[in-house]
Amino acid sequence: MMVFILNVNPDSQSIAYIDQVMENFTNVYNLPFKRELRFVVHELVINAIEAMEKIEPYSKKAIQVHVYRSNEEIKITVIDEAKGIAENDWDKVLQFDLNELDYSDRGRGLFFVKNMVDHIWFENISETKFLVGISKKIHI
């Protein structure tokens, strides 16, 4: 079993740092789905940073990335302090409608993430803390 937790500032340097950590982690442990796992974490961290940039007043609270790997699966959660997605919108954010395609690059990340993992979930931890989690079966 392997567990690590990263607490990072909501900024672009943190994206690069987490990308590098995940690249090293997936290579050292020779995990299947390396590119997919790195993409998923990258997208979740960007979403958390963008959410935190919108809160008033802007705060420098940390984003937490928690990675758990067993022989059977990998679980990753990203927690931000930007209040998250309203519970009645959880299903909607996982959909992607080609008829509403506006060619902006926004709003598709969670749809792609959902299709690269076995399970995705959301959780309101507190009034301000919001968790997005994913799990992917691995057979080592």
Side-chain angles (χ1 to χ4, degrees), residues 4 45-46 52 58 75 79 111 126 131 133 137-138 140:
F4 65 90
V45 170
I46 286 175
M52 288 184 68
Y58 178 68
K75 285 184 183 176
I79 300 171
F111 170 78
S126 71
L131 177 148
K137 294 274 184 241
I138 54 175
I140 299 175

Side-chain angles (χ1 to χ4, degrees), residues 101-129:
L101 188 61
D102 62 4
Y103 299 103
S104 75
D105 208 17
R106 309 305 321 132
R108 291 182 253 176
L110 288 175
F111 170 78
F112 289 119
V113 166
K114 177 186 82 166
N115 287 288
M116 292 180 167
V117 299
D118 296 325
H119 186 57
I120 183 170
W121 68 93
F122 305 110
E123 188 178 325
N124 288 308
I125 296 173
S126 71
E127 284 291 314
T128 57
K129 288 191 179 202

Side-chain angles (χ1 to χ4, degrees), residues 66-129:
H66 183 269
V67 178
Y68 165 86
R69 182 196 67 87
S70 69
N71 286 337
E72 293 83 37
E73 73 177 343
I74 184 165
K75 285 184 183 176
I76 301 169
T77 60
V78 176
I79 300 171
D80 66 48
E81 297 192 45
K83 297 184 178 150
I85 302 165
E87 196 165 339
N88 56 354
D89 289 334
W90 289 358
D91 287 335
K92 192 171 91 177
V93 298
L94 297 174
Q95 305 301 317
F96 178 58
D97 187 351
L98 282 173
N99 296 324
E100 296 179 17
L101 188 61
D102 62 4
Y103 299 103
S104 75
D105 208 17
R106 309 305 321 132
R108 291 182 253 176
L110 288 175
F111 170 78
F112 289 119
V113 166
K114 177 186 82 166
N115 287 288
M116 292 180 167
V117 299
D118 296 325
H119 186 57
I120 183 170
W121 68 93
F122 305 110
E123 188 178 325
N124 288 308
I125 296 173
S126 71
E127 284 291 314
T128 57
K129 288 191 179 202

